Amino acid sequence: MPQALRGALLSLRVLLLSAGPFALLAVALLVLAYGWLNPNPPKRVTLATGPAQSAYEEFGKRYAKALAADGITVVLLPSEGSAANLQLLREGRADLGFVQGGTAEPGVMQQQGEELLSLGSLFVEPVWLFYRADTARKVAAGAGGGKAAKAAIASEARLSSLAQLQGLRVNVGTEGSGVPSLVNKLLALNKLEPSTVRLSHLAQTPATVAFLNGELDALVFASAPESLMVQMLLQTPGVRLMDFAQSEAYARRFPFLTPEILPRGVVDLAADIPSDDVRLVASTTSLLAREGTHPALLQLFAQNAQTIHGGAGWFNRAREYPNTRHSELPIAKEGERAINEPAPLLQRYLPFWLANLVERMWLVMGVLIALLLPLSRVVPPLYAFRIRSRVFRWYGELREIEARAEADPAAAPTLLQELDSLEEKVGKIVVPLSYTDELYALRNHIHLVRKGLRR
């Protein structure tokens, strides 16, 4: 092996021995920091959605597809609706869930020590009250007046007040949907006792079948317009959507409600459905998360919400949702940043897992650099000492030979043999080229001692 190559390999080995402890220390500190910060999210998360064919189920599928691109498996947990999702979050069976405004009561939750965070308001959920046209005619015919007046009223009968539901068969959904609680609040405002309305609690699909078969007079949904049931009922002949003439008043009485208008023709322009603007009341649905959910998961959900809910819809313009308004619960920091700030710089150019790792570890890495930088100054002197010690350690034997010669000049022949042996060993020493001057200096000193012994 060429001498220069041997010197290079020696230099590398000594450098590794000198810098190795500091590198191991840095790695150990990074591992400890990684375990403490836990920067990368778990690969599996549970999202509470809603009943089959609901808007919650549809949005859940979109989130699952979006997060799959980042290697996250979203397990969709069907439920009866908003109230059931809130219960699943409280019990820890779901990490995130869609919850309708008005379902969570912050004061009660705070007293019970429950900590849930919101990732922002995602979309509007109007209260859809569908009724049968023949039911409206019966209500109008029984309102009083002469026969001619009743016939005129019944021909264009419409329901526009919840007070008109008295005595009707109305399905308000399952208890887990959150709609029964909302309907009870609205009925109370109209001074109607729930017992005066024949309320039922069927699930969406069986309730719709019963409604179309004439077994129910009205249906109440609280769902985004993406719901297949809503889309179908809006275009079903003989089914009408109640116009909430007092929508502004409802919104003033309940802060989680907002007045909305379903524009004329927005469902089907060609068929002019609906034929008039319809006033509705609506709540906003938020994506809630348990406080212990990994921050990176919250960030992923909040960022994907921009794409999933950011388009224009029947009740909103483009980029109006998601937002941090109308929230009854504290907004998570990740939701606040994702909604109101641009995407982080690193995430624009790097895969999410890498950008997230750097973003969450940069402070620790800065501290480690600040700590190890002064210590790293020890490496060059330590390297030089290790290299030079390969030469300097032979000076001890050389001085011993010289001291013995001074004490006993007659031992010079024996000492010359020891000196030759020492010189042979020194000839096998390998040092980097930058340190060869010290090696040649040792050889010169051996030569000087030899000259003294021969004299």
Side-chain angles (χ1 to χ4, degrees), residues 345-360:
L345 179 64
L346 291 178
Q347 292 189 24
R348 302 177 201 171
Y349 306 103
L350 298 176
F352 175 81
W353 69 269
L354 181 57
N356 173 72
L357 179 64
V358 175
E359 287 171 5
R360 299 188 184 280

Side-chain angles (χ1 to χ4, degrees), residues 103-172:
T103 305
E105 299 183 12
V108 176
M109 294 175 63
Q110 193 170 21
Q111 290 176 4
Q112 296 176 349
E114 296 173 353
E115 294 293 341
L116 296 180
L117 300 174
S118 172
L119 295 183
S121 301
L122 303 182
F123 53 89
V124 169
E125 276 197 298
V127 176
W128 308 91
L129 199 159
F130 293 101
Y131 60 92
R132 298 172 58 84
D134 55 357
T135 298
R137 286 192 289 270
K138 291 177 183 177
V139 172
K147 291 183 178 180
K150 289 180 181 180
I153 293 172
S155 63
E156 289 298 328
R158 294 283 192 276
L159 298 185
S160 59
S161 170
L162 291 179
Q164 295 173 292
L165 298 179
Q166 187 168 359
L168 299 184
R169 299 165 299 176
V170 182
N171 187 79
V172 294

